Amino acid sequence: MRIDIITVLPELLEGFVNNSILQRAQKKQLVEIHIHNLRDYTKDKHRRVDDYPFGGFAGMVMQCQPIDDCITALKAQRHYDEIIFTTPDGAQFDQPMANELSLLQNIIILCGHYKGIDYRIREHLITREVSIGDYVLTGGEIAAAAMADAIVRLVPGVLSDEQSALSDSFQDNLLAAPVYTRPADYKGWRVPDVLLSGHEAKIKEWELQQSLERTRKLRPDLLEAK
Ligand code: 6GU
């Protein structure tokens, strides 16, 4: 899988994608992540990528030309399955969307900034608009990072134990069961006995009960969605 991220703040994303899960996925050659500085595509002598909005509204708007040139240059190299724009008015990113996007070959994520981007880009080039929640961030970089992380960890081989992605919270609309590690007794705080029993069927049953109970208590909306 290949993810191309277009941003006016490449430094912000470089550190993120070259660490932890994302770095490991790239070293294993399971995923390629390329970050493009939108300013490299402007024809403006001051490297500007935004301008005042028509109509006299407040704020600045990202211009068509640098975005179009960057996306056009990428599309000349390969086919893209999705060209995603990060925006608070997009469709809410969730685990099913992460699953779906993790199956794709090539995607572009365009990070929004300022008051927005020229709407013509959204009409003519963007195939999908995505938000990470009902709150406003100053830019789309954190959203792009969150999406890239959630997608890449689902690519087969990225996680050492593939089971661990399958048993994630949300993967079956249930929150995950609690987990524990040694020691079994820490300051009198004890790990549930069943987990020490070695009885596999009982442990599985406990895990499911815990998932259901935690979901009922913390996220009843997920059970209704089933
Ligand atoms: Cl994708 N972008 C911005 N700027 N704010 C957001 C968001 C995206 N998702 C939630 N808030």
Side-chain angles (χ1 to χ4, degrees):
M1 174 179 211
R2 175 178 168 125
I3 303 177
D4 289 273
I5 305 178
I6 305 171
T7 172
V8 287
L9 293 173
E11 334 66 74
L12 209 67
L13 284 165
E14 294 287 356
F16 185 80
V17 305
N18 293 318
N19 271 293
S20 71
I21 290 281
L22 295 186
Q23 184 184 46
R24 200 168 82 196
Q26 291 175 91
K27 283 200 175 139
K28 284 187 175 174
Q29 300 191 329
L30 298 167
V31 175
E32 279 180 50
I33 302 176
H34 298 267
I35 296 171
H36 308 275
N37 187 347
L38 189 60
R39 286 187 207 285
D40 293 343
Y41 293 85
T42 179
K43 294 197 166 89
D44 181 82
K45 60 174 184 287
H46 304 296
R47 306 238 308 156
R48 292 187 57 159
V49 293
D50 62 338
D51 206 339
Y52 295 98
F54 283 119
F57 301 107
M60 301 297 277
V61 174
M62 287 165 78
Q63 294 171 287
C64 286
Q65 177 271 316
I67 297 171
D68 182 28
D69 284 3
C70 182
I71 291 177
T72 300
L74 288 171
K75 280 166 117 178
Q77 303 289 314
R78 66 196 65 76
H79 169 76
Y80 283 92
D81 305 300
E82 293 277 10
I83 302 177
I84 298 167
F85 176 53
T86 61
T87 176
D89 58 9
Q92 164 92 53
F93 185 69
D94 58 8
Q95 195 63 42
M97 199 192 293
N99 292 346
E100 187 191 327
L101 295 175
S102 76
L103 300 174
L104 302 180
Q105 212 46 250
N106 303 308
I107 64 174
I108 292 173
I109 303 177
L110 170 64
C111 299
H113 242 264
Y114 310 110
K115 261 300 187 204
I117 63 171
D118 192 306
Y119 202 76
R120 290 168 289 186
I121 292 293
R122 296 170 68 165
E123 289 176 312
H124 295 284
L125 295 177
I126 297 300
T127 63
R128 196 158 185 156
E129 303 190 324
V130 180
S131 160
I132 59 165
D134 285 343
Y135 41 82
V136 178
L137 303 168
T138 41
E141 284 72 20
I142 292 170
M147 289 169 59
D149 188 290
I151 292 166
V152 166
R153 65 191 292 287
L154 295 171
V155 172
V158 169
L159 295 185
S160 47
D161 174 7
E162 273 207 55
Q163 273 295 316
S164 65
L166 294 176
S167 60
D168 284 341
S169 280
F170 299 111
Q171 206 52 275
D172 41 18
N173 266 350
L174 289 176
L175 301 184
V179 293
Y180 303 87
T181 187
R182 285 179 291 187
D185 185 333
Y186 175 73
K187 299 202 299 192
W189 306 345
R190 294 203 24 92
V191 169
D193 284 334
V194 60
L195 296 180
L196 311 175
S197 69
H199 194 304
E200 210 170 305
K202 274 191 186 151
I203 291 172
K204 280 260 160 282
E205 174 61 20
W206 174 88
E207 186 186 22
L208 178 61
Q209 286 311 318
Q210 289 289 320
S211 279
L212 285 166
E213 210 170 289
R214 282 171 47 74
T215 309
R216 212 174 288 135
K217 200 162 124 196
L218 302 170
R219 292 293 307 275
D221 57 298
L222 292 178
L223 293 173
E224 276 151 36
K226 265 171 106 81

Short mmCIF file of all heavy atoms in Angstrom, two decimals, residues 114-172:
data_model
loop_
_atom_site.label_atom_id
_atom_site.label_comp_id
_atom_site.label_asym_id
_atom_site.label_seq_id
_atom_site.Cartn_x
_atom_site.Cartn_y
_atom_site.Cartn_z
N TYR A 114 -6.18 26.62 6.83
CA TYR A 114 -6.81 27.92 6.75
C TYR A 114 -8.32 27.75 6.87
O TYR A 114 -8.83 26.89 7.56
CB TYR A 114 -6.43 28.65 5.45
CG TYR A 114 -4.94 28.65 5.24
CD1 TYR A 114 -4.37 27.89 4.21
CD2 TYR A 114 -4.10 29.37 6.08
CE1 TYR A 114 -3.00 27.87 4.03
CE2 TYR A 114 -2.72 29.34 5.90
CZ TYR A 114 -2.19 28.59 4.88
OH TYR A 114 -0.85 28.55 4.70
N LYS A 115 -9.08 28.59 6.21
CA LYS A 115 -10.54 28.51 6.28
C LYS A 115 -11.08 27.37 5.42
O LYS A 115 -12.21 26.94 5.57
CB LYS A 115 -11.14 29.84 5.79
CG LYS A 115 -11.56 30.75 6.92
CD LYS A 115 -12.60 30.08 7.80
CE LYS A 115 -13.16 31.00 8.84
NZ LYS A 115 -13.71 30.26 9.99
N GLY A 116 -10.24 26.89 4.54
CA GLY A 116 -10.71 25.83 3.65
C GLY A 116 -9.92 25.82 2.37
O GLY A 116 -8.93 26.55 2.25
N ILE A 117 -10.32 25.02 1.43
CA ILE A 117 -9.68 25.04 0.12
C ILE A 117 -10.72 25.46 -0.89
O ILE A 117 -11.92 25.29 -0.68
CB ILE A 117 -9.06 23.68 -0.27
CG1 ILE A 117 -10.13 22.58 -0.40
CG2 ILE A 117 -7.99 23.28 0.72
CD1 ILE A 117 -9.57 21.29 -0.99
N ASP A 118 -10.24 26.01 -1.99
CA ASP A 118 -11.13 26.40 -3.09
C ASP A 118 -12.04 25.22 -3.41
O ASP A 118 -11.58 24.10 -3.64
CB ASP A 118 -10.27 26.77 -4.31
CG ASP A 118 -11.08 27.46 -5.39
OD1 ASP A 118 -12.12 26.88 -5.82
OD2 ASP A 118 -10.69 28.56 -5.82
N TYR A 119 -13.33 25.47 -3.37
CA TYR A 119 -14.31 24.38 -3.46
C TYR A 119 -14.20 23.59 -4.76
O TYR A 119 -14.59 22.42 -4.83
CB TYR A 119 -15.73 24.94 -3.28
CG TYR A 119 -16.70 23.87 -2.84
CD1 TYR A 119 -16.71 23.40 -1.53
CD2 TYR A 119 -17.59 23.30 -3.75
CE1 TYR A 119 -17.57 22.40 -1.13
CE2 TYR A 119 -18.46 22.30 -3.36
CZ TYR A 119 -18.45 21.86 -2.05
OH TYR A 119 -19.31 20.87 -1.65
N ARG A 120 -13.64 24.21 -5.80
CA ARG A 120 -13.51 23.51 -7.08
C ARG A 120 -12.61 22.29 -6.97
O ARG A 120 -12.79 21.31 -7.70
CB ARG A 120 -13.01 24.49 -8.15
CG ARG A 120 -14.07 25.52 -8.52
CD ARG A 120 -13.51 26.64 -9.35
NE ARG A 120 -12.64 27.51 -8.57
CZ ARG A 120 -12.10 28.64 -9.03
NH1 ARG A 120 -12.33 29.01 -10.29
NH2 ARG A 120 -11.34 29.39 -8.26
N ILE A 121 -11.63 22.35 -6.05
CA ILE A 121 -10.77 21.17 -5.83
C ILE A 121 -11.62 20.02 -5.29
O ILE A 121 -11.50 18.86 -5.72
CB ILE A 121 -9.64 21.51 -4.83
CG1 ILE A 121 -8.65 22.50 -5.45
CG2 ILE A 121 -8.93 20.25 -4.35
CD1 ILE A 121 -7.85 21.96 -6.60
N ARG A 122 -12.50 20.36 -4.36
CA ARG A 122 -13.35 19.33 -3.76
C ARG A 122 -14.30 18.75 -4.81
O ARG A 122 -14.57 17.55 -4.82
CB ARG A 122 -14.13 19.91 -2.58
CG ARG A 122 -13.19 20.34 -1.45
CD ARG A 122 -13.86 21.14 -0.35
NE ARG A 122 -14.80 20.35 0.45
CZ ARG A 122 -15.28 20.74 1.63
NH1 ARG A 122 -14.89 21.91 2.15
NH2 ARG A 122 -16.12 19.99 2.29
N GLU A 123 -14.80 19.60 -5.69
CA GLU A 123 -15.74 19.13 -6.72
C GLU A 123 -15.07 18.28 -7.80
O GLU A 123 -15.65 17.33 -8.28
CB GLU A 123 -16.41 20.33 -7.40
CG GLU A 123 -17.40 21.05 -6.52
CD GLU A 123 -17.95 22.29 -7.20
OE1 GLU A 123 -17.15 23.09 -7.74
OE2 GLU A 123 -19.18 22.47 -7.19
N HIS A 124 -13.85 18.66 -8.16
CA HIS A 124 -13.26 18.04 -9.35
C HIS A 124 -12.19 17.00 -9.06
O HIS A 124 -11.93 16.13 -9.90
CB HIS A 124 -12.67 19.12 -10.27
CG HIS A 124 -13.72 20.05 -10.82
ND1 HIS A 124 -14.56 19.67 -11.84
CD2 HIS A 124 -14.08 21.30 -10.47
CE1 HIS A 124 -15.39 20.67 -12.11
NE2 HIS A 124 -15.13 21.67 -11.28
N LEU A 125 -11.52 17.07 -7.92
CA LEU A 125 -10.39 16.16 -7.70
C LEU A 125 -10.58 15.21 -6.52
O LEU A 125 -10.06 14.10 -6.54
CB LEU A 125 -9.10 16.97 -7.48
CG LEU A 125 -8.62 17.79 -8.68
CD1 LEU A 125 -7.38 18.60 -8.30
CD2 LEU A 125 -8.30 16.89 -9.88
N ILE A 126 -11.31 15.66 -5.51
CA ILE A 126 -11.42 14.86 -4.28
C ILE A 126 -12.48 13.77 -4.47
O ILE A 126 -13.56 14.03 -5.01
CB ILE A 126 -11.79 15.78 -3.09
CG1 ILE A 126 -10.69 16.81 -2.84
CG2 ILE A 126 -12.12 14.97 -1.84
CD1 ILE A 126 -9.33 16.23 -2.51
N THR A 127 -12.15 12.54 -4.03
CA THR A 127 -13.14 11.46 -4.15
C THR A 127 -13.81 11.16 -2.82
O THR A 127 -14.82 10.46 -2.78
CB THR A 127 -12.47 10.16 -4.66
OG1 THR A 127 -11.50 9.72 -3.70
CG2 THR A 127 -11.80 10.39 -6.01
N ARG A 128 -13.23 11.69 -1.73
CA ARG A 128 -13.78 11.35 -0.41
C ARG A 128 -13.38 12.40 0.60
O ARG A 128 -12.23 12.82 0.63
CB ARG A 128 -13.16 10.02 -0.01
CG ARG A 128 -13.85 9.32 1.09
CD ARG A 128 -13.47 7.85 0.97
NE ARG A 128 -14.20 7.12 1.94
CZ ARG A 128 -14.48 5.84 1.87
NH1 ARG A 128 -14.06 5.14 0.86
NH2 ARG A 128 -15.15 5.26 2.81
N GLU A 129 -14.34 12.84 1.42
CA GLU A 129 -14.06 13.85 2.44
C GLU A 129 -14.26 13.24 3.81
O GLU A 129 -15.30 12.64 4.07
CB GLU A 129 -14.97 15.06 2.25
CG GLU A 129 -14.80 15.62 0.84
CD GLU A 129 -15.49 16.95 0.62
OE1 GLU A 129 -16.59 17.15 1.19
OE2 GLU A 129 -14.92 17.78 -0.10
N VAL A 130 -13.24 13.38 4.65
CA VAL A 130 -13.24 12.64 5.91
C VAL A 130 -12.92 13.56 7.08
O VAL A 130 -12.02 14.40 7.01
CB VAL A 130 -12.20 11.49 5.85
CG1 VAL A 130 -12.19 10.71 7.17
CG2 VAL A 130 -12.51 10.55 4.69
N SER A 131 -13.67 13.38 8.17
CA SER A 131 -13.45 14.08 9.44
C SER A 131 -13.06 13.05 10.49
O SER A 131 -13.45 11.89 10.38
CB SER A 131 -14.74 14.78 9.85
OG SER A 131 -14.74 15.08 11.24
N ILE A 132 -12.32 13.45 11.50
CA ILE A 132 -12.03 12.48 12.57
C ILE A 132 -12.89 12.73 13.81
O ILE A 132 -12.70 12.08 14.84
CB ILE A 132 -10.53 12.39 12.94
CG1 ILE A 132 -9.98 13.74 13.40
CG2 ILE A 132 -9.73 11.86 11.77
CD1 ILE A 132 -8.63 13.62 14.12
N GLY A 133 -13.83 13.64 13.73
CA GLY A 133 -14.72 13.83 14.88
C GLY A 133 -15.32 15.22 14.88
O GLY A 133 -14.90 16.09 14.12
N ASP A 134 -16.31 15.42 15.74
CA ASP A 134 -17.03 16.68 15.76
C ASP A 134 -16.35 17.73 16.63
O ASP A 134 -16.82 18.04 17.74
CB ASP A 134 -18.48 16.45 16.22
CG ASP A 134 -19.32 15.81 15.13
OD1 ASP A 134 -18.88 15.84 13.95
OD2 ASP A 134 -20.39 15.27 15.45
N TYR A 135 -15.23 18.21 16.16
CA TYR A 135 -14.50 19.31 16.80
C TYR A 135 -13.62 19.88 15.69
O TYR A 135 -13.39 19.20 14.69
CB TYR A 135 -13.64 18.81 17.97
CG TYR A 135 -12.94 17.51 17.67
CD1 TYR A 135 -11.75 17.48 16.93
CD2 TYR A 135 -13.51 16.29 18.04
CE1 TYR A 135 -11.15 16.29 16.61
CE2 TYR A 135 -12.90 15.09 17.72
CZ TYR A 135 -11.73 15.09 17.01
OH TYR A 135 -11.13 13.90 16.66
N VAL A 136 -13.15 21.11 15.87
CA VAL A 136 -12.39 21.73 14.78
C VAL A 136 -10.91 21.80 15.14
O VAL A 136 -10.53 22.32 16.18
CB VAL A 136 -12.94 23.14 14.47
CG1 VAL A 136 -12.11 23.80 13.38
CG2 VAL A 136 -14.40 23.05 14.04
N LEU A 137 -10.08 21.24 14.26
CA LEU A 137 -8.63 21.34 14.39
C LEU A 137 -8.15 22.46 13.47
O LEU A 137 -8.82 22.79 12.50
CB LEU A 137 -7.97 20.03 13.95
CG LEU A 137 -8.42 18.76 14.68
CD1 LEU A 137 -7.92 17.53 13.95
CD2 LEU A 137 -7.88 18.79 16.11
N THR A 138 -6.97 23.03 13.78
CA THR A 138 -6.48 24.11 12.92
C THR A 138 -6.07 23.60 11.54
O THR A 138 -6.11 24.33 10.57
CB THR A 138 -5.28 24.83 13.55
OG1 THR A 138 -4.44 23.86 14.14
CG2 THR A 138 -5.73 25.83 14.58
N GLY A 139 -5.69 22.33 11.47
CA GLY A 139 -5.31 21.79 10.17
C GLY A 139 -5.61 20.32 10.09
O GLY A 139 -5.91 19.68 11.11
N GLY A 140 -5.51 19.77 8.90
CA GLY A 140 -5.83 18.37 8.71
C GLY A 140 -4.71 17.40 9.03
O GLY A 140 -4.87 16.19 8.89
N GLU A 141 -3.55 17.91 9.46
CA GLU A 141 -2.39 17.03 9.66
C GLU A 141 -2.63 15.98 10.74
O GLU A 141 -2.25 14.81 10.59
CB GLU A 141 -1.13 17.83 9.99
CG GLU A 141 -0.49 18.53 8.80
CD GLU A 141 -1.29 19.73 8.28
OE1 GLU A 141 -2.13 20.27 9.04
OE2 GLU A 141 -1.09 20.10 7.12
N ILE A 142 -3.23 16.39 11.84
CA ILE A 142 -3.48 15.42 12.92
C ILE A 142 -4.49 14.38 12.45
O ILE A 142 -4.36 13.19 12.75
CB ILE A 142 -3.98 16.14 14.20
CG1 ILE A 142 -2.83 16.98 14.77
CG2 ILE A 142 -4.49 15.15 15.24
CD1 ILE A 142 -3.25 17.92 15.89
N ALA A 143 -5.47 14.81 11.68
CA ALA A 143 -6.45 13.88 11.12
C ALA A 143 -5.76 12.91 10.17
O ALA A 143 -6.01 11.70 10.21
CB ALA A 143 -7.55 14.65 10.39
N ALA A 144 -4.86 13.42 9.31
CA ALA A 144 -4.15 12.56 8.36
C ALA A 144 -3.29 11.55 9.12
O ALA A 144 -3.23 10.37 8.75
CB ALA A 144 -3.28 13.40 7.42
N ALA A 145 -2.63 12.00 10.19
CA ALA A 145 -1.78 11.11 10.98
C ALA A 145 -2.63 10.03 11.64
O ALA A 145 -2.26 8.85 11.63
CB ALA A 145 -1.01 11.92 12.02
N ALA A 146 -3.75 10.42 12.20
CA ALA A 146 -4.64 9.45 12.86
C ALA A 146 -5.13 8.42 11.85
O ALA A 146 -5.13 7.21 12.11
CB ALA A 146 -5.82 10.17 13.51
N MET A 147 -5.53 8.89 10.68
CA MET A 147 -6.04 7.97 9.66
C MET A 147 -4.95 7.03 9.18
O MET A 147 -5.16 5.82 9.06
CB MET A 147 -6.59 8.77 8.47
CG MET A 147 -7.89 9.49 8.81
SD MET A 147 -8.35 10.66 7.53
CE MET A 147 -8.48 9.57 6.13
N ALA A 148 -3.76 7.59 8.88
CA ALA A 148 -2.65 6.75 8.39
C ALA A 148 -2.32 5.67 9.42
O ALA A 148 -2.14 4.50 9.08
CB ALA A 148 -1.42 7.61 8.09
N ASP A 149 -2.29 6.03 10.69
CA ASP A 149 -1.98 5.07 11.74
C ASP A 149 -3.03 3.96 11.79
O ASP A 149 -2.71 2.77 11.79
CB ASP A 149 -1.89 5.79 13.08
CG ASP A 149 -1.38 4.89 14.19
OD1 ASP A 149 -2.11 3.97 14.60
OD2 ASP A 149 -0.25 5.10 14.65
N ALA A 150 -4.29 4.35 11.80
CA ALA A 150 -5.38 3.37 11.91
C ALA A 150 -5.43 2.45 10.69
O ALA A 150 -5.75 1.27 10.81
CB ALA A 150 -6.72 4.09 12.08
N ILE A 151 -5.09 2.99 9.51
CA ILE A 151 -5.13 2.20 8.28
C ILE A 151 -3.94 1.25 8.22
O ILE A 151 -4.09 0.04 7.98
CB ILE A 151 -5.12 3.13 7.04
CG1 ILE A 151 -6.43 3.93 6.96
CG2 ILE A 151 -4.89 2.34 5.76
CD1 ILE A 151 -6.37 5.11 5.98
N VAL A 152 -2.73 1.80 8.47
CA VAL A 152 -1.52 1.02 8.25
C VAL A 152 -1.44 -0.18 9.20
O VAL A 152 -1.02 -1.27 8.80
CB VAL A 152 -0.27 1.93 8.40
CG1 VAL A 152 1.00 1.11 8.53
CG2 VAL A 152 -0.19 2.87 7.20
N ARG A 153 -1.90 -0.02 10.43
CA ARG A 153 -1.81 -1.15 11.36
C ARG A 153 -2.70 -2.32 10.95
O ARG A 153 -2.55 -3.42 11.47
CB ARG A 153 -2.10 -0.70 12.79
CG ARG A 153 -3.50 -0.21 13.02
CD ARG A 153 -3.62 0.46 14.37
NE ARG A 153 -3.48 -0.49 15.47
CZ ARG A 153 -4.40 -1.39 15.82
NH1 ARG A 153 -5.53 -1.44 15.15
NH2 ARG A 153 -4.19 -2.21 16.81
N LEU A 154 -3.63 -2.08 10.00
CA LEU A 154 -4.50 -3.15 9.52
C LEU A 154 -3.92 -3.87 8.31
O LEU A 154 -4.44 -4.91 7.90
CB LEU A 154 -5.87 -2.57 9.15
CG LEU A 154 -6.68 -1.98 10.30
CD1 LEU A 154 -7.90 -1.26 9.78
CD2 LEU A 154 -7.07 -3.08 11.28
N VAL A 155 -2.87 -3.32 7.72
CA VAL A 155 -2.27 -3.97 6.55
C VAL A 155 -1.61 -5.28 7.02
O VAL A 155 -0.84 -5.27 7.99
CB VAL A 155 -1.24 -3.04 5.88
CG1 VAL A 155 -0.46 -3.77 4.79
CG2 VAL A 155 -1.94 -1.80 5.31
N PRO A 156 -1.95 -6.40 6.37
CA PRO A 156 -1.43 -7.69 6.83
C PRO A 156 0.10 -7.68 6.96
O PRO A 156 0.79 -7.21 6.05
CB PRO A 156 -1.87 -8.67 5.74
CG PRO A 156 -3.11 -8.06 5.17
CD PRO A 156 -2.88 -6.56 5.23
N GLY A 157 0.59 -8.18 8.09
CA GLY A 157 2.02 -8.26 8.34
C GLY A 157 2.58 -7.09 9.12
O GLY A 157 3.69 -7.16 9.63
N VAL A 158 1.83 -6.02 9.24
CA VAL A 158 2.35 -4.84 9.94
C VAL A 158 2.43 -5.10 11.45
O VAL A 158 3.45 -4.85 12.08
CB VAL A 158 1.51 -3.58 9.65
CG1 VAL A 158 1.88 -2.44 10.59
CG2 VAL A 158 1.70 -3.15 8.20
N LEU A 159 1.37 -5.63 12.01
CA LEU A 159 1.42 -5.99 13.42
C LEU A 159 2.04 -7.38 13.54
O LEU A 159 1.78 -8.24 12.71
CB LEU A 159 0.01 -6.00 14.03
CG LEU A 159 -0.70 -4.64 14.07
CD1 LEU A 159 -2.03 -4.76 14.80
CD2 LEU A 159 0.17 -3.60 14.74
N SER A 160 2.87 -7.57 14.55
CA SER A 160 3.57 -8.85 14.67
C SER A 160 2.57 -9.98 14.86
O SER A 160 2.71 -11.05 14.31
CB SER A 160 4.56 -8.80 15.83
OG SER A 160 3.92 -8.27 16.96
N ASP A 161 1.54 -9.73 15.65
CA ASP A 161 0.54 -10.75 15.90
C ASP A 161 -0.76 -10.29 15.26
O ASP A 161 -1.45 -9.42 15.77
CB ASP A 161 0.37 -10.92 17.41
CG ASP A 161 -0.76 -11.88 17.74
OD1 ASP A 161 -1.31 -12.50 16.81
OD2 ASP A 161 -1.08 -11.99 18.93
N GLU A 162 -1.08 -10.87 14.10
CA GLU A 162 -2.24 -10.38 13.33
C GLU A 162 -3.52 -10.46 14.13
O GLU A 162 -4.44 -9.67 13.93
CB GLU A 162 -2.37 -11.17 12.04
CG GLU A 162 -1.55 -10.54 10.94
CD GLU A 162 -2.13 -10.85 9.59
OE1 GLU A 162 -3.32 -10.54 9.39
OE2 GLU A 162 -1.40 -11.41 8.76
N GLN A 163 -3.57 -11.41 15.03
CA GLN A 163 -4.74 -11.54 15.90
C GLN A 163 -5.03 -10.23 16.63
O GLN A 163 -6.17 -9.90 16.87
CB GLN A 163 -4.45 -12.62 16.95
CG GLN A 163 -4.81 -14.00 16.49
CD GLN A 163 -6.30 -14.12 16.27
OE1 GLN A 163 -7.07 -13.67 17.09
NE2 GLN A 163 -6.70 -14.70 15.16
N SER A 164 -3.99 -9.50 16.95
CA SER A 164 -4.21 -8.35 17.83
C SER A 164 -5.00 -7.24 17.12
O SER A 164 -5.66 -6.48 17.78
CB SER A 164 -2.90 -7.84 18.41
OG SER A 164 -2.08 -7.33 17.41
N ALA A 165 -4.93 -7.19 15.79
CA ALA A 165 -5.80 -6.21 15.10
C ALA A 165 -7.23 -6.71 15.06
O ALA A 165 -8.17 -5.94 15.17
CB ALA A 165 -5.29 -5.95 13.68
N LEU A 166 -7.39 -8.04 14.94
CA LEU A 166 -8.74 -8.60 14.86
C LEU A 166 -9.48 -8.45 16.18
O LEU A 166 -10.70 -8.39 16.21
CB LEU A 166 -8.68 -10.07 14.45
CG LEU A 166 -8.17 -10.29 13.03
CD1 LEU A 166 -8.04 -11.78 12.73
CD2 LEU A 166 -9.09 -9.64 12.02
N SER A 167 -8.74 -8.42 17.30
CA SER A 167 -9.41 -8.34 18.60
C SER A 167 -9.45 -6.90 19.13
O SER A 167 -9.76 -6.67 20.28
CB SER A 167 -8.70 -9.25 19.60
OG SER A 167 -7.36 -8.86 19.75
N ASP A 168 -9.15 -5.93 18.26
CA ASP A 168 -9.24 -4.53 18.67
C ASP A 168 -10.64 -4.17 19.15
O ASP A 168 -11.61 -4.74 18.67
CB ASP A 168 -8.99 -3.59 17.47
CG ASP A 168 -7.54 -3.50 17.10
OD1 ASP A 168 -6.70 -3.84 17.93
OD2 ASP A 168 -7.28 -3.07 15.96
N SER A 169 -10.69 -3.15 19.97
CA SER A 169 -11.98 -2.52 20.23
C SER A 169 -12.55 -2.06 18.89
O SER A 169 -11.79 -1.68 17.99
CB SER A 169 -11.81 -1.31 21.13
OG SER A 169 -11.69 -1.70 22.48
N PHE A 170 -13.85 -2.14 18.73
CA PHE A 170 -14.60 -1.67 17.56
C PHE A 170 -14.59 -2.65 16.41
O PHE A 170 -15.40 -2.54 15.51
CB PHE A 170 -14.09 -0.31 17.02
CG PHE A 170 -14.21 0.78 18.02
CD1 PHE A 170 -13.08 1.34 18.58
CD2 PHE A 170 -15.44 1.24 18.41
CE1 PHE A 170 -13.19 2.35 19.51
CE2 PHE A 170 -15.56 2.25 19.34
CZ PHE A 170 -14.43 2.81 19.89
N GLN A 171 -13.66 -3.63 16.41
CA GLN A 171 -13.56 -4.46 15.21
C GLN A 171 -14.85 -5.24 14.99
O GLN A 171 -15.22 -5.51 13.88
CB GLN A 171 -12.32 -5.34 15.27
CG GLN A 171 -11.75 -5.76 13.92
CD GLN A 171 -11.50 -4.63 12.94
OE1 GLN A 171 -12.41 -4.20 12.23
NE2 GLN A 171 -10.30 -4.12 12.88
N ASP A 172 -15.56 -5.60 16.07
CA ASP A 172 -16.87 -6.23 15.90
C ASP A 172 -17.93 -5.43 16.66
O ASP A 172 -18.87 -5.98 17.20
CB ASP A 172 -16.82 -7.68 16.37
CG ASP A 172 -16.01 -7.83 17.64
OD1 ASP A 172 -15.79 -6.79 18.32
OD2 ASP A 172 -15.59 -8.94 17.96
#
